[in-house]
Amino acid sequence: MNHILKKMLNERDLGDAIQWAIKNEAVLLTQMGSDLEFNLHKLQFLEYYNSGEIFKAYQYGKQWFPKFINTNSENLQSVSKLISSILFDSKDESSPYYKENQLSNSNFQEIGILFSKKFCSVIGFSFESSIFMILLCGYISFPTFLKFVKIKNLNNKLDWTSHNELPFEINLPDFLKKFHPIFICPVSKEETTMENPPMALPCHHIISKQSLNKLSRNGGSFKCPYCPTSSIPSKAKQVHFGNI
């Protein structure tokens, strides 16, 4: 991934990124509903256009855009603007498309972030650093823990015996609230346990092990209850939710 990003950000070379997106088109579109490939083609079109290679941009758009306009009405509108823009010179400020067709490093940085996220998703890795998230949660939570310890020391009768639960609420920012030590199976509506752990399917949907066994009838092929992806139990991976 790093060499693809390096070429994209330092040289504005989208070739390897586009080839990767084409290779993983089925996963990106079918399972993730991602427009990564379309956005990469748009950026490549604009790179040709802004470099003065108008005919090359036209040929590129003619080759790659048709397969996207049939799947999304927004794509059709976007492609219409791009194709119409070649009637004007890229440096013509009177063009109605002048501002939105201008490229800067930020355009490549944005597509680089999107590419990184989808690349990590396809190979089953988290885009965000787990260590950083853990440290950040700890840093935010630490004052509350200190306060609880002080109160507990002042009152010897104060105790907390519930297993794996906190006696107070931690106010985390919204982007951290998706992390939680408790998982409720969306199929059985029951909390998972060590004996019945959460299992991630190849499509990245998560259900409990008991639900997995019921769906697969103890080993057979089955369809994910939330998408049409078929799988077998051996391809499911146990998910570990860290205890606070």
Side-chain angles (χ1 to χ4, degrees):
M1 179 179 75
N2 289 336
H3 77 279
I4 296 177
L5 288 174
K6 185 177 180 180
K7 292 178 70 174
M8 184 190 303
L9 299 176
N10 296 342
E11 305 171 24
R12 291 194 172 188
D13 185 344
L14 299 168
D16 289 346
I18 291 173
Q19 289 304 312
W20 181 88
I22 293 172
K23 181 180 178 181
N24 294 277
E25 178 182 0
V27 178
L28 290 169
L29 286 176
T30 306
Q31 296 184 16
M32 299 181 183
S34 171
D35 283 336
L36 174 63
E37 185 187 347
F38 177 62
N39 288 326
L40 285 167
H41 285 308
K42 278 175 55 180
L43 196 58
Q44 183 63 76
F45 175 94
L46 289 173
E47 179 69 5
Y48 288 141
Y49 174 72
N50 281 278
S51 299
E53 300 179 89
I54 306 297
F55 186 66
K56 192 171 184 178
Y58 167 75
Q59 287 182 313
Y60 188 85
K62 184 179 179 181
Q63 178 184 1
W64 292 107
F65 288 155
K67 72 174 183 178
F68 297 103
I69 61 178
N70 295 324
T71 58
N72 190 313
S73 58
E74 292 183 3
N75 289 349
L76 175 59
Q77 185 178 8
S78 181
V79 169
S80 298
K81 289 183 178 180
L82 289 171
I83 298 300
S84 299
S85 68
I86 63 177
L87 298 174
F88 301 85
D89 186 274
S90 61
K91 296 180 176 60
D92 183 1
E93 296 185 13
S94 65
S95 166
Y97 312 103
Y98 177 76
K99 288 185 178 180
E100 59 184 296
N101 283 353
Q102 294 303 299
L103 288 182
S104 65
N105 289 335
S106 63
N107 296 105
F108 288 86
Q109 290 169 356
E110 288 173 5
I111 198 70
I113 292 173
L114 179 61
F115 176 83
S116 299
K117 288 181 177 180
K118 298 308 174 185
F119 187 98
C120 290
S121 295
V122 168
I123 64 176
F125 283 8
S126 172
F127 172 70
E128 297 151 328
S129 168
S130 300
I131 295 177
F132 173 76
M133 291 298 174
I134 291 171
L135 291 174
L136 182 59
C137 287
Y139 176 79
I140 295 172
S141 307
F142 191 63
T144 308
F145 277 93
L146 282 179
K147 184 177 180 180
F148 172 73
V149 171
K150 289 180 180 179
I151 295 173
K152 184 179 179 181
N153 290 337
L154 291 173
N155 187 351
N156 294 328
K157 295 181 180 180
L158 181 63
D159 198 5
W160 189 259
T161 57
S162 295
H163 183 60
N164 288 339
E165 289 186 21
L166 291 174
F168 48 81
E169 183 178 354
I170 300 293
N171 293 318
L172 295 174
D174 290 339
F175 72 94
L176 286 174
K177 288 182 179 178
K178 60 183 177 180
F179 299 100
H180 202 279
I182 296 175
F183 178 75
I184 305 297
C185 175
V187 176
S188 65
K189 310 301 181 186
E190 296 178 353
E191 183 180 330
T192 53
T193 62
M194 293 181 66
E195 294 74 25
N196 180 31
M199 305 294 291
L201 306 180
C203 56
H204 304 297
H205 289 119
I206 302 176
I207 59 177
S208 69
K209 188 173 183 178
Q210 288 181 359
S211 296
L212 173 64
N213 291 335
K214 288 181 180 179
L215 288 171
S216 66
R217 296 183 180 179
N218 295 319
S221 177
F222 68 97
K223 282 190 175 182
C224 170
Y226 293 96
C227 72
T229 304
S230 296
S231 184
I232 55 177
S234 61
K235 291 187 177 181
K237 296 181 180 179
Q238 183 174 337
V239 178
H240 298 277
F241 292 87
N243 293 325
I244 299 177

